[in-house]
């Protein structure tokens, strides 16, 4: 699957940080004049063997203001917050039998490129408080179909326990606002299909 896109966006909502309250920067949601987003998505799946399947995905987006936004202190070309330029996914699925039971092992990886949480980045380029992304997350799952209606799987999410930032803003009070992905999580899932 593939797609190429061009989005012309008027009044795009962005978070601004150029209001001061008591000497501290505060953030608020407002509309910028206009922005464009250009990019593509590629996704593909292939069976290497009857039992081994590979999934790959790649995305690119350049989302930026297409006009100056003086009230925000942002110039044309400023990257929109929350939009990584590059994302990628990769997955491996291996199906096999345990006795006569259908079973599988699956690995999934996800990469997010760097992005900022504010329309005007805060901090310094090397220590920006609103910088997010730039992480790789790895998940795994082992499952067994016990019967036509019952399956069980053991899963691990974020196996490398990376503290990837999914959002950040340097305008929090009194500290930056940062959200991270769920830490390493291991569990068991049981599924039952109603007849």
């Amino acid at each position: 699957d593939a797609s190429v896109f061009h989005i012309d966006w008027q009044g795009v909502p962005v978070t601004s940080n150029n209001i001061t309250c008591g000497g501290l920067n505060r953030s608020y949601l407002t509309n910028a004049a206009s922005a464009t987003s250009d990019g593509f998505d590629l996704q593909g799946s292939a069976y290497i063997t009857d039992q081994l399947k590979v999934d790959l995905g790649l995305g690119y987006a350049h989302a930026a203001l297409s006009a100056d936004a003086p009230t925000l202190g942002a110039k044309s070309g400023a990257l929109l917050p929350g939009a990584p330029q590059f994302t990628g996914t990769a997955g491996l699925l291996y199906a096999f039998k345990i006795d006569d039971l259908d079973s599988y092992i699956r690995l999934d990886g996800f990469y997010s490129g760097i992005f900022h949480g504010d329309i005007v980045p805060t901090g310094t380029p090397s220590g920006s408080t609103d910088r997010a992304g730039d992480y790789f997350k790895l998940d795994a799952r082992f499952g067994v179909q016990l019967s036509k209606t019952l399956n069980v799987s053991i899963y691990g999410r974020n196996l490398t326990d990376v503290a990837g930032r999914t959002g950040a803003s340097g305008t929090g009070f009194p500290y930056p606002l940062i959200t991270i992905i769920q830490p390493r999580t291991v569990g068991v899932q049981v599924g039952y299909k109603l007849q």
Side-chain angles (χ1 to χ4, degrees):
D1 296 325
S3 66
V4 178
F5 58 86
H6 168 78
I7 301 170
D8 188 2
W9 199 348
Q10 301 297 317
V12 57
V14 296
T15 300
S16 176
N17 60 1
N18 74 341
I19 185 171
T20 301
C21 180
L24 297 171
N25 280 344
R26 303 304 301 268
S27 64
Y28 63 98
L29 193 63
T30 187
N31 294 96
S34 61
T36 59
S37 181
D38 299 294
F40 65 85
D41 289 300
L42 296 172
Q43 293 182 353
S45 297
Y47 278 95
I48 307 303
T49 69
D50 289 342
Q51 295 173 290
L52 181 62
K53 180 185 176 187
V54 176
D55 300 305
L56 294 173
L58 174 66
Y60 169 81
H62 181 78
L65 292 180
S66 55
D68 291 348
T71 58
L72 302 178
K75 300 282 189 184
S76 176
L79 296 178
L80 295 184
Q85 285 192 296
F86 291 99
T87 56
T89 59
L92 283 175
L93 173 67
Y94 181 68
F96 57 97
K97 296 273 191 183
I98 297 178
D99 289 331
D100 288 329
L101 302 177
D102 291 330
S103 308
Y104 68 90
I105 295 175
R106 182 167 182 94
L107 294 175
D108 287 289
F110 170 76
Y111 171 75
S112 171
I114 297 170
F115 63 92
H116 289 273
D118 298 319
I119 189 70
V120 178
T122 53
T124 63
S126 60
S128 178
T129 54
D130 73 326
R131 180 175 159 158
D134 195 25
Y135 67 87
F136 177 80
K137 181 173 78 83
L138 180 65
D139 299 338
R141 183 177 290 265
F142 163 66
V144 179
Q145 189 73 38
L146 298 174
S147 69
K148 289 182 179 179
T149 58
L150 183 64
N151 66 78
V152 63
S153 61
I154 300 169
Y155 64 85
R157 297 186 185 124
N158 192 10
L159 291 177
T160 56
D161 203 28
V162 64
R165 291 184 178 190
T166 60
S169 175
T171 60
F173 176 77
Y175 304 108
L177 300 174
I178 296 170
T179 55
I180 62 171
I181 62 175
Q182 184 175 339
R184 182 188 297 120
T185 305
V186 177
V188 176
Q189 183 174 346
V190 177
Y192 182 77
K193 182 179 179 182
L194 298 175
Q195 291 293 337

